Amino acid sequence: MNLPIRPRRNRRTAAIRDLVRETELTAAHLIYPLFIHAGTEDQPIESMPGCTRWSVEGLVREAGEAHKLGVPAVVLFPAISNRVKTRDAREAWNAKGLVPRAIKALKAAHPTLTVITDVALDPYNADGHDGIVSDEGIILNDETVVALCKQALCHAYAGADIVSPSDMMDGRVAALRAALDKEGYKDVSILSYTAKYASAFYGPFRGALDSAPKSGDKKTYQMDYANAREAEREAMLDEAEGADMMMVKPATPYLDIIQRLRHTTTLPIAAYHVSGEYLMIKAAAKSGWLDEKKIVLETLTGIRRAGADMILTYFAKEVAKWLK
Ligand code: PBG
C-alpha cells in the first residue's frame, strides 16, 4: 500500500511507545482509603475481601508500608460502635474520638504522610445518613453544615492536612473554609466531593462501616446518576466557595464527568474508585476470569487519562508495589 501516514510506526518498539505515552500512572497519584475501628485487633472486612478494619496500631503500620512504597496520602474511614451513635452524631467531633487519635498517631509516626479525613456524619449517625435527620425524616441541610464544621475543626486540631466533605450538603465548602480560617487553620485544605452520585457501587463500603441508612436512600443529597450538567453546577459552586480540590465519585462509570470537569475547572481533580468497583475486579480475578494486576493498571490509567490528577483506590498499596 502507498501509505505515507502509518500510526503503527509510533507503536513499533517499547522504547518508542514509552516516548509517546500520554498518561502516566505512578504511586504519587494515589490516595489509600483505610478503615479503622476502636478495637485492638485488625479485622478482615467481610463485605470487602482484601480490606481490613485496622486498629490504630495496625493503621500506622499499614499506612507506613504504603508510604514507603511511594503513596503520599491516606484517607480515614472510622467504624463506630453502635453504642455511641446518636441522632445528632455528636461523636463526630469528640476530640478524644477514634479519628483524632488515629490522625495524631499517623502524624507522629509518619510526618511526611498526608492525612485526609472524611467529613460526613454517617458513621456516627444513628439514622445512618450523612446529614441530621428530622423527626419527619427530612435531611436538615443547614443544621448538618454546623455539625460538619465542628467535625472538620476536630480533625484540624488533631493535625489533619486535608478535610474531605463527602456529605453533599449545600454550602458546606464555604462554611468549612470560614470555620477553619476563623480558628487559624488557613493551611488545612478542602478536598470536596463535588460530584458524588447516589450509587449502588457504595454497598460494600456501607457493610464495612455498618453505616447503611436506616430508612430511605441518599437521593435527596447525592446526585442522580443520569445527570452531567448538574456536576458542572456543583463544580462552579465548590470552586467559588473555596474548595482546593474536587472529587468525582464513583470513577469508572463516570469518566465522562471527570472529563467534563477537567474542562470546566482549573482545580485538581480526584476520582474515587469505590468499593463496588474494587470488588468487581476482585471477584473476577478470584474466579480466574481476569488478570487482576493488568485490569487494575488499565482501569486506573483510564481514570487518569479521563483527567483525574489523583485516584482514591483500595488497590493503592498493591499498585505502588507493582510499579516499583
Ligand atoms: C459516606 C461515604 C461513602 C463512601 C465514602 N464516604 C458511602 C455513602 O455515601 O453511602 C463510599 C466509598 C466506597 O464505596 O468505596 N460519607
Side-chain angles (χ1 to χ4, degrees), residues 22 130 141 267:
E22 300 172 33
D130 293 33
N141 190 91
L267 292 183

Side-chain angles (χ1 to χ4, degrees), residues 77 118 120 122 130 166 193 196 201-202 205-206 218 222 249 272 274-275 314:
F77 293 102
D118 193 68
D122 50 319
D130 293 33
S166 68
Y193 284 65
K196 177 174 180 177
F201 285 95
Y202 309 150
F205 172 98
R206 293 178 192 169
K218 299 193 174 187
Q222 298 180 351
K249 175 187 179 183
Y272 200 148
V274 302
S275 55
Y314 302 99

Side-chain angles (χ1 to χ4, degrees), residues 136-175:
E136 294 75 35
I138 305 289
I139 309 292
L140 301 172
N141 190 91
D142 301 12
E143 290 81 347
T144 299
V145 171
V146 173
L148 297 174
C149 287
K150 292 189 229 174
Q151 183 182 23
L153 282 177
C154 166
H155 297 169
Y157 295 143
D161 296 290
I162 301 176
V163 293
S164 192
S166 68
D167 56 286
M168 291 300 281
M169 296 300 123
D170 291 335
R172 91 276 211 214
V173 171

